[in-house]
Amino acid sequence: METTNKSKRLGDKSAKLNESVNLNVNLNVNEILFELKQVNQQFGRLQALADLDLQIRAGERVALVGSSGAGKSTLIRLLNGTLRPTGGEVWALGRCLSRLSPRQLRQAQQHIGTIYQQFHLVDSLAVIHNVNAGHLSHWSFAKALFSLIYPLEIETAATALRRVGIPEKLYERTDRLSGGQQQRVALARVLVQNPLVILADEPVSSLDPERSREIMALLRDLVTETGKTLVVSLHSIDLALHYCNRVIGLREGRMQFDAPADAVTKAMIEALYRL
Amino acid sequence: MDNKPLQTVPRPAWLHQRLRWALIALIAIAVSLCAVGLQPAIFNWNGLGQLWRFLAASGQPDLSAEFLAVVLRAALTTLAYAVCSTCLSLLIGAVGGLLASEVWWLAVLPHQNLHRSISSTIRMILAIPRAIHELIWGLFFVNILGLDPLVAILAIAIPYGAIVAKVFSELLDETPRQPLFALLNSGVPAANAFIYSLIPQAFLNFVSYAFYRFECSIRSAAVLGIIGAGGLGYEILLSLQSLRYHQLWTLFLALFVLNGAVDWGSAWLRHRLGSPTRLDLNLRRPTRSRKQSKPGDPLVLGAGIGLLALIPFSFWYVAADWTKLWSPRTATLLAEVGQAIWPPRLETLPQLGPLLLQTLAMSILAIAIAGMGGVLLAFPAARNFWSPNGLLAGHTTSGLGRIWAWTRLLLTRAFLLMARAIPAPIWALVALFVLFPGILPGAVALGIHNLGILGRLMAEVVEDLDPRPVVALKAQGVTAPLLFLYGVLPLTLTRFLAYILYRWEVCTRETVIVGLVGAGGLGRLLTEQLSSFDYQNLLVTLAGFVVLTFVVDWISGTARRALR
C-alpha cells in the first residue's frame, strides 16, 4: 500500500510548495523513515548514547522510555537533525543527516515536526503567530514580516486550532494560556507544518495526568488520521503502552529492549528502571 | 478535516495598542525632524576639512612621555571623582532609600495607615534633585564654592543619591516581607529587624546596583571636567579648543581604557558574586537563581580589598576642601542665592515655550538615533548570536568564519565602548564642525553617546534570550532571517523598547549638557542664566525643565506599561 502523493491528502498550498523545492519524498508504509547505524553521542566525558542501531518505519508510533538521563532527548535531537552524532550515522527520509548541506538539512527538517516538554513557543506573540510559525520553512521573509503585522492564512491556523480544541484562542497572547493549552498551540504549529513524522520530547511531563491523557490521545489521533509517524519520549510507561504500538527502553545510553507494546512485560520495565 | 462552517474568532482591531504607540513614535520623530528643517542652514560644509583633520589625527595620538603624565594624572582625577561621588551617593541613597520605602514606615508606624502617603511624599521630593542634571548642579556649586573638587563630587552625589534612593526604596519594597514581620511581631525594634531581614535579603541587588552607578559616575565625572572641575573631560576640552587633535585622541584612548576597565570589572564582579543582571534590576524581574560564589573566593576577596583601598586613596587624591561645606562664606552665599531667587521673574516665559519644544525634539531625535543604532548593533555585540555555537550559527563553522565572527564581535563592542566613553558634549563639539548650532548637533551627540550605552544593555538582553523557541524553529528547518523574525525579535523587542523609553528620560535630562557647548535647546539658556547669577529667571527656566522631564517620564512610563 502506498501513501502516494502527499499533496492529494493535504490538498493545501504548503504541500505544493514543498514539492516545488523538489524534495523527492515518496514514502511507502513500512518504508524505513529513520535509521541509526552504530550511533554514539558524547558530551564531553559523558556518553549519552552508545552503539545505537535502530530503524523506525513509516506509520509506526514509537515510545522511548527510560529514566532521566537515559538518552531519550538526545535521541530525539539526533532524529530531527539539531544534533550531529559524534560517531555513526543518522539517516532520515533516505538521507544521511550529517552529510547534508545546511540548505539540504533544512529541507529535510521541514518534514520532521518536533514538540517539546517546555512547548518552546514565543511567549510574547499571539497564538496565531506561533501557529503560523509552522509555515516559516517555505514563507518568504516579506510574507513572514507582513504576517506579524497583519496575520495571514488565518483559515489554516483556525482549522488547526479547532482540531486541537482551542479555536477561541486564535488572537490570545501565548503566555496567557495554561500549560495544556500551550502544548495544544505547539501541536497546532506542527499540524500547520504538516510533516511526515512528529517527534515529541516528553510532551506531557509538565502537565497534570488528565491533561496528559488528553494531549496523548490528541497526538495519537492526529498521527493515525493523517498516516504520520510518531516518535515520543515518555516518563510514564502506562501512557507509552496505551498510546503507542512500539516501545523502546533506553538505559544509560544503551538500548535495553525494543518490543511491540503488547509484548512489553513487567519484568522488562523493572529491569529498565532498576537502580 | 471536516467541512463544518468555520466559526473563526473575529480579527482584533487592526490598530491595536502597540501599533498605535508605534505610530505615535513615528509621528513624533517626523515632527522633530521638521523642527530641524526650520533652521535656515543645517550643514556647514566649510567644516569638513576640520573634521577630516580631527579624524586623521586618530592614527597618531600624542604619546610623548610628558603628555602621557598629564593624561595619567587626569585619568586618576576622573576615577577619584567617580569613587568619591559614588560613595557619597550610596550614603545618601541608603538613608533616602530607607525613608522613601513604604515598608520602613509600615514597620515604624504600624497602626497609623500613613506609610503610603509618607513614602510617596518623600519619593516626590526626591524626584526634583533627580530631574536636574549633574552639570546644572555643578554650575550652581561653582557659584557657591568656587572651583574646588568638592563641586564635582557634590554635583554627582546629589542627583545620583536621589536616583539610588529611589531604586533602593523600590528594591526594599519588592523584597518579600514575611521574615521582617516575623521579627517585628516578636517585638524586635524596626531598625534591628531590618538589618536581620530585608537588608541582607536585598543586599546583592544593592551591590549590583552600586556597581552600575559607579560605571555611570565615571562618565559623569568626565562630563563635569568640562565646567572646569579637572580630569579627562577638562583636558579634552582644552585640547579640542586649542585644536591639538593628536592629544585629543590620546585622551580619548584613556577614557576608552578607563571606561572599559570599569565596565568590565564591574560586570566580572557582579557575575562572580552571582548578583542579578542589570536587566533584572531595571525591568523589575524576579531574580533567577544564579551561581553564587563560594564564600572566600580569593579573587573576589582581592578585588573587594582593592576597591576598599581605592576609597581612602580617592578622597586623599582629590584633596577636596570639605571645610567649605560649613564655612561662613558658603552660608552667606547660599543665603544670598535664597534672597536673589525670589520672586521668580516671568520675562523669559515667552522664550521658554519654543525652547522646551526644541529640547523635546532634540531628545526624541537623540533617542531615535540611539535606539535604532542600538538595536542594529546589539546583535553583532552579543556573545551568543552570530558567534560559533551561537543561536543563528549552523553546525559547521570554518576557521576563517570563526575569526571573522570574533573580529566582528570585538569591533562592535569597541565601537560601543568608544561611543559611550566619550562624553556627549565632546561629541557635540565634534558634530559642530559640520553642523550649525541647533537641534541636530545636540541630537547627534546625545544619540551617539546613548547608542553606546543602549547597545551594551541590548546586547545583554540578547545574551539573556530564551533559546528554546529558536531551537524549535531551527529543528523545523527555518532559515536564519525568519528565525530572527519569529524567534528572536518578538522576545527581545519588548525589552529593547522598555530600555529605549527608559533611556529617553535620561536623554531629556542630558539635553542640558549639549546645550552648554552651544548645541541649542534649553541647556544654553540655563547655563547663561546660571553663569550670570540670574537666579530669578533661572528658577522659572528650571521649573519648566523639571516639568518637561516629568512629562517625558510620564509618557515613557505609560508607553512601557502598554508595551509590556
Side-chain angles (χ1 to χ4, degrees):
Chain A
M1 261 219 296
E2 269 196 355
T3 52
T4 49
N5 259 332
K6 305 234 65 155
S7 60
K8 201 183 283 172
R9 193 170 60 231
L10 309 169
D12 69 299
K13 253 188 260 169
S14 67
K16 275 173 225 148
L17 269 159
N18 282 351
E19 282 194 339
S20 70
V21 286
N22 190 17
L23 275 153
N24 201 9
V25 182
N26 282 318
L27 283 167
N28 303 325
V29 162
N30 287 335
E31 188 159 310
I32 295 172
L33 205 56
F34 287 113
E35 182 160 20
L36 273 68
K37 297 176 178 169
Q38 279 297 304
V39 165
N40 278 286
Q41 183 61 48
Q42 199 100 21
F43 294 115
R45 235 181 277 162
L46 179 83
Q47 179 90 21
L49 286 176
D51 304 328
L52 207 60
D53 281 297
L54 178 67
Q55 289 183 346
I56 292 171
R57 290 170 189 277
E60 283 190 297
R61 294 197 308 278
V62 183
L64 306 174
V65 296
S67 35
S68 306
K72 304 189 296 287
S73 298
T74 308
L75 181 52
I76 299 256
R77 288 175 64 202
L78 285 171
L79 293 178
N80 72 15
T82 49
L83 188 68
R84 282 188 178 186
T86 38
E89 287 178 348
V90 178
W91 287 68
L93 314 165
R95 273 157 287 200
C96 176
L97 289 182
S98 38
R99 286 198 213 122
L100 298 179
S101 70
R103 186 187 162 78
Q104 288 170 321
L105 178 66
R106 281 202 300 273
Q107 286 177 355
Q109 284 175 327
Q110 292 177 13
H111 297 280
I112 304 170
T114 312
I115 292 170
Y116 305 82
Q117 178 185 356
Q118 302 291 339
F119 325 132
H120 288 34
L121 299 168
V122 182
D123 280 349
S124 54
L125 283 182
V127 166
I128 171 80
H129 299 302
N130 271 306
V131 176
N132 271 349
H135 290 299
L136 286 183
S137 42
H138 58 261
W139 269 12
S140 71
F141 185 79
K143 186 173 184 183
L145 182 64
F146 185 77
S147 176
L148 276 181
I149 297 159
Y150 188 83
L152 299 173
E153 307 213 4
I154 305 263
E155 290 292 294
T156 320
T159 313
L161 280 177
R162 207 150 52 91
R163 183 64 193 83
V164 298
I166 47 167
E168 71 285 0
K169 302 293 182 193
L170 189 60
Y171 295 108
E172 199 102 5
R173 242 177 82 140
T174 308
D175 51 9
R176 306 229 168 95
L177 269 53
S178 70
Q181 290 170 336
Q182 290 196 25
Q183 194 58 293
R184 285 169 195 265
V185 174
L187 270 171
R189 173 168 76 185
V190 170
L191 281 183
V192 167
Q193 187 194 345
N194 200 2
L196 291 170
V197 52
I198 296 178
L199 306 176
D201 190 2
E202 304 202 354
V204 295
S205 293
S206 35
L207 304 178
D208 62 60
E210 189 46 41
R211 241 44 61 199
S212 299
R213 275 190 290 278
E214 283 174 20
I215 293 285
M216 281 309 294
L218 192 55
L219 250 182
R220 178 196 55 197
D221 297 346
L222 291 176
V223 167
T224 44
E225 275 165 26
T226 52
K228 294 188 204 306
T229 310
L230 176 68
V231 180
V232 52
S233 72
L234 288 167
H235 259 305
S236 152
I237 288 284
D238 294 336
L239 290 179
L241 296 178
H242 194 258
Y243 293 102
C244 297
N245 50 25
R246 177 178 168 194
V247 181
I248 294 174
L250 289 172
R251 186 184 161 94
E252 290 167 358
R254 290 174 191 279
M255 193 190 290
Q256 187 97 352
F257 63 80
D258 178 359
D262 43 26
V264 175
T265 63
K266 235 180 179 158
M268 285 159 79
I269 292 162
E270 272 166 16
L272 187 66
Y273 288 99
R274 198 177 40 229
L275 289 174
Chain B
M1 302 197 184
D2 48 37
N3 293 318
K4 266 184 285 173
L6 276 179
Q7 288 173 335
T8 350
V9 197
R11 194 186 265 276
W14 180 75
L15 195 64
H16 52 86
Q17 207 177 21
R18 288 174 174 221
L19 220 53
R20 214 172 304 149
W21 277 107
L23 273 179
I24 292 173
L26 281 180
I27 292 170
I29 293 171
V31 170
S32 308
L33 274 175
C34 290
V36 171
L38 288 181
Q39 245 177 281
I42 298 172
F43 293 103
N44 174 13
W45 302 114
N46 297 329
L48 275 180
Q50 195 77 281
L51 182 69
W52 171 245
R53 274 194 291 285
F54 162 76
L55 289 175
S58 67
Q60 338 146 258
D62 183 349
L63 297 176
S64 64
E66 117 200 63
F67 188 67
L68 281 183
V70 173
V71 173
L72 184 67
R73 270 200 303 277
L76 272 179
T77 307
T78 300
L79 178 69
Y81 281 161
V83 172
C84 295
S85 52
T86 308
C87 284
L88 215 57
S89 70
L90 289 177
L91 213 67
I92 299 173
V95 177
L98 202 61
L99 293 180
S101 71
E102 243 180 77
V103 66
W104 170 255
W105 295 106
L106 199 61
V108 178
L109 308 168
H111 302 295
Q112 299 175 24
N113 234 353
L114 284 171
H115 53 276
R116 192 151 291 167
S117 44
I118 297 179
S119 70
S120 56
T121 313
I122 295 180
R123 275 185 206 191
M124 228 133 71
I125 296 170
L126 283 173
I128 293 171
R130 212 170 58 224
I132 299 170
H133 194 271
E134 300 97 85
L135 208 67
I136 304 281
W137 284 110
L139 288 168
F140 173 71
F141 285 125
V142 167
N143 286 354
I144 304 288
L145 303 169
L147 263 183
D148 190 279
L150 205 54
V151 169
I153 298 174
L154 286 182
I156 300 176
I158 288 177
Y160 274 33
I163 299 174
V164 174
K166 174 179 178 250
V167 172
F168 277 13
S169 69
E170 284 167 0
L171 286 175
L172 277 177
D173 280 340
E174 281 158 20
T175 307
R177 296 176 182 181
Q178 296 88 330
L180 173 74
F181 285 108
L183 291 178
L184 286 175
N185 293 341
S186 56
V188 178
N192 293 4
F194 262 71
I195 57 174
Y196 271 80
S197 58
L198 280 195
I199 291 176
Q201 280 171 286
F203 191 69
L204 264 184
N205 287 351
F206 292 157
V207 170
S208 187
Y209 191 73
F211 280 127
Y212 175 51
R213 268 296 115 196
F214 183 49
E215 293 173 28
C216 294
S217 55
I218 282 273
R219 290 193 276 274
S220 292
V223 172
L224 278 168
I226 289 163
I227 57 164
L232 285 170
Y234 181 61
E235 298 294 337
I236 286 177
L237 193 69
L238 285 184
S239 298
L240 191 62
Q241 281 172 342
S242 54
L243 309 180
R244 297 201 178 113
Y245 296 139
H246 301 288
Q247 293 185 353
L248 200 58
W249 282 99
T250 321
L251 291 159
F252 281 178
L253 276 179
L255 264 183
F256 182 83
V257 171
L258 190 61
N259 269 276
V262 169
D263 286 4
W264 181 84
S266 131
W268 178 84
L269 255 177
R270 275 182 290 132
H271 180 76
R272 270 289 165 138
L273 289 169
S275 52
T277 62
R278 215 168 346 192
L279 215 64
D280 295 321
L281 280 178
N282 276 352
L283 300 181
R284 308 260 161 269
R285 288 191 316 183
T287 310
R288 302 190 197 165
S289 57
R290 278 163 202 275
K291 234 189 353 199
Q292 295 264 338
S293 70
K294 286 172 245 100
D297 181 340
L299 283 172
V300 173
L301 209 64
I305 292 170
L307 269 178
L308 284 181
L310 198 59
I311 295 171
F313 168 79
S314 297
F315 277 98
W316 167 78
Y317 191 82
V318 298
D321 184 2
W322 295 93
T323 56
K324 278 194 175 168
L325 279 183
W326 48 85
S327 76
R329 187 184 134 77
T330 307
T332 327
L333 283 172
L334 266 178
E336 272 172 28
V337 171
Q339 281 162 2
I341 212 162
W342 206 258
R345 289 238 295 270
L346 301 176
E347 59 192 26
T348 48
L349 211 55
Q351 216 183 326
L352 202 58
L355 277 178
L356 280 174
L357 288 179
Q358 250 187 43
T359 306
L360 188 65
M362 190 196 282
S363 74
I364 290 173
L365 286 182
I367 201 60
I369 296 171
M372 276 188 273
V375 171
L376 287 180
L377 292 180
F379 294 102
R383 211 178 293 128
N384 62 337
F385 200 65
W386 262 315
S387 57
N389 309 322
L391 288 174
L392 289 196
H395 278 296
T396 45
T397 325
S398 61
L400 206 66
R402 209 171 275 261
I403 293 167
W404 164 229
W406 283 113
T407 326
R408 183 170 44 196
L409 181 84
L410 288 178
L411 279 180
T412 321
R413 289 196 165 189
F415 173 77
L416 290 176
L417 178 54
M418 201 65 178
R420 67 174 180 268
I422 296 173
I426 302 297
W427 282 122
L429 287 172
V430 173
L432 284 171
F433 282 154
V434 286
L435 296 171
F436 285 112
I439 301 174
L440 197 58
V444 168
L446 283 175
I448 295 176
H449 180 69
N450 283 289
L451 161 64
I453 296 167
L454 272 180
R456 176 169 183 236
L457 290 172
M458 289 174 173
E460 282 182 14
V461 172
V462 177
E463 287 176 358
D464 207 45
L465 183 71
D466 179 4
R468 292 175 308 187
V470 178
V471 168
L473 291 177
K474 225 184 201 176
Q476 188 191 308
V478 174
T479 53
L482 290 180
L483 214 62
F484 178 76
L485 203 57
Y486 273 71
V488 176
L489 210 54
L491 288 171
T492 46
L493 198 63
T494 3
R495 291 191 221 166
F496 283 175
L497 289 175
Y499 267 143
I500 290 174
L501 286 166
Y502 169 76
R503 204 65 214 171
W504 179 38
E505 300 172 14
V506 184
C507 254
T508 311
R509 284 176 207 131
E510 285 184 340
T511 50
V512 176
I513 60 176
V514 291
L516 177 76
V517 292
L522 205 58
R524 195 145 108 201
L525 186 64
L526 269 175
T527 43
E528 274 168 19
Q529 289 170 341
L530 254 173
S531 41
S532 59
F533 302 95
D534 182 3
Y535 290 115
Q536 285 169 309
N537 279 315
L538 177 72
L539 193 63
V540 177
T541 317
L542 217 51
F545 189 68
V546 169
V547 169
L548 178 71
T549 55
F550 284 176
V551 169
V552 166
D553 281 11
W554 179 79
I555 299 175
S556 149
T558 316
R560 267 184 289 170
R561 271 189 299 279
L563 294 173
R564 203 174 282 160

